[in-house]
């Protein structure tokens, strides 16, 4: 089965850079997408197609991808960025759609 | 303004059925693929099903294949999820989401809670 692996938790102080990784099975690699889910709220798309930012998402959110690993970077993390973050992608056939297990980001 | 409103959740016994609905507005529903995604209490997101804009193609997670059916009524701007043979492990908050770029979920509703319990 196709799986995406994320670290369960990441912790940074306000103003520091937070990096959350997402690793999957071998190529050909599909795009990775990132969602932010704050407590009690629906997920919000923050990065699409590995590196692109939807309108309204702060510039401190960025994405990158290399090989079979994608990374969400929050440069100068703010307290309001505390949330669960999920990556999403598909397998090489495009038929299996999966979310990573999620990473809890703590900013304090 | 884009809006997705799920309904139909509730408490149901194992083995019974339930149908969820998702009313869409504020975007061209009949041109959009749609997803169902679920989240068990305190756990992560699980993709459940997708339907293409015209209903011609549907796909399901292995965990629900053969038990759940996704459908849509473009005349009513409504998405459905028929859930049969429900199991305790189907207990979750069920979200509908629009398929945006690359048919990836890009806008989400607030979810409807399904509890399967005897």
């Amino acid at each position: 089965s196709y799986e995406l692996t994320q670290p369960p938790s990441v912790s940074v102080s306000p103003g520091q850079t937070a990096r959350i990784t997402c690793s999957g099975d071998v190529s050909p690699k599909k795009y990775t997408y990132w969602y932010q889910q704050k407590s009690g709220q629906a997920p919000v798309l923050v990065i699409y197609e590995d590196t692109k930012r939807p309108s309204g998402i702060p510039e401190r959110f960025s994405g990158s991808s290399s090989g079979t690993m994608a990374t969400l970077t929050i440069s100068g993390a703010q307290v309001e960025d505390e949330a669960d973050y999920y990556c999403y992608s598909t397998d090489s056939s495009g038929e299996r759609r999966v979310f990573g297990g999620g990473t809890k980001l703590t900013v304090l | 303004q884009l809006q997705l409103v799920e309904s139909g959740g509730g408490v149901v016994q194992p083995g019974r059925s339930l149908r969820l609905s998702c009313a869409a507005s504020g975007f061209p529903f009949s041109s959009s693929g749609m997803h169902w995604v679920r989240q068990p209490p305190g756990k992560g997101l699980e993709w459940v099903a997708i339907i293409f804009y015209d209903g011609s193609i549907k796909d399901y997670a292995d965990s629900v294949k053969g038990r759940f059916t996704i459908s849509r009524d473009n005349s009513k701007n409504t998405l459905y999820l028929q859930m049969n043979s429900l199991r305790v492990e189907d207990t979750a908050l069920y979200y509908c989401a629009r398929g945006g770029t690359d048919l990836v979920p890009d806008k989400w509703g607030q979810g409807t809670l399904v509890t399967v319990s005897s």
Side-chain angles (χ1 to χ4, degrees):
Chain A
S1 64
Y2 184 68
E3 294 183 355
L4 297 175
T5 302
Q6 298 181 233
S9 63
V10 169
S11 182
V12 298
S13 299
Q16 288 188 328
T17 296
R19 294 182 179 86
I20 299 172
T21 57
C22 173
S23 59
D25 290 340
V26 179
S27 62
K29 189 178 176 298
K30 297 290 188 178
Y31 285 128
T32 302
Y33 301 76
W34 290 94
Y35 298 88
Q36 175 195 66
Q37 186 180 34
K38 296 184 177 180
S39 181
Q41 298 183 19
V44 172
L45 182 68
V46 295
I47 294 290
Y48 68 100
E49 293 181 353
D50 288 347
T51 62
K52 299 176 182 177
R53 200 172 50 248
S55 70
I57 301 302
E59 290 185 7
R60 63 180 180 272
F61 288 87
S62 64
S64 62
S65 180
S66 178
T68 59
M69 179 172 288
T71 303
L72 172 68
T73 300
I74 307 172
S75 303
Q78 307 295 309
V79 172
E80 59 263 32
D81 298 332
E82 271 205 355
D84 294 322
Y85 290 85
Y86 296 90
C87 60
Y88 170 95
S89 189
T90 64
D91 67 356
S92 56
S93 70
E95 294 180 353
R96 292 190 177 276
R97 300 171 175 84
V98 295
F99 288 93
T103 298
K104 182 176 183 60
L105 175 66
T106 301
V107 183
L108 54 75
Chain B
Q1 183 165 342
L2 186 149
Q3 197 169 15
L4 296 166
V5 179
E6 301 91 338
S7 62
V11 180
V12 62
Q13 293 179 329
R16 304 298 290 264
S17 300
L18 205 60
R19 188 178 83 156
L20 306 183
S21 300
C22 170
S25 60
F27 68 99
F29 179 77
S30 60
S31 303
S32 301
M34 296 293 296
H35 297 261
W36 286 102
V37 178
R38 68 185 181 183
Q39 185 170 34
K43 297 189 177 181
L45 302 172
E46 180 187 13
W47 178 80
V48 173
I50 185 174
I51 185 168
F52 280 32
Y53 71 100
D54 59 354
S56 61
I57 296 176
K58 307 173 186 180
D59 195 19
Y60 302 89
D62 289 344
S63 58
V64 306
K65 199 170 292 184
R67 300 187 299 123
F68 290 12
T69 301
I70 189 171
S71 63
R72 63 192 299 157
D73 186 337
N74 285 346
S75 68
K76 296 182 178 178
N77 282 3
T78 302
L79 175 72
Y80 302 101
L81 185 68
Q82 177 67 42
M83 304 185 295
N84 298 332
S85 303
L86 281 162
R87 305 169 180 169
V88 171
E89 55 265 35
D90 295 319
T91 294
L93 186 63
Y94 283 74
Y95 294 100
C96 70
R98 183 183 72 174
T101 305
D102 304 327
L103 276 180
V104 170
D106 68 344
K107 300 292 184 184
W108 301 57
Q110 290 303 307
T112 186
L113 182 62
V114 173
T115 302
V116 184
S117 173
S118 55

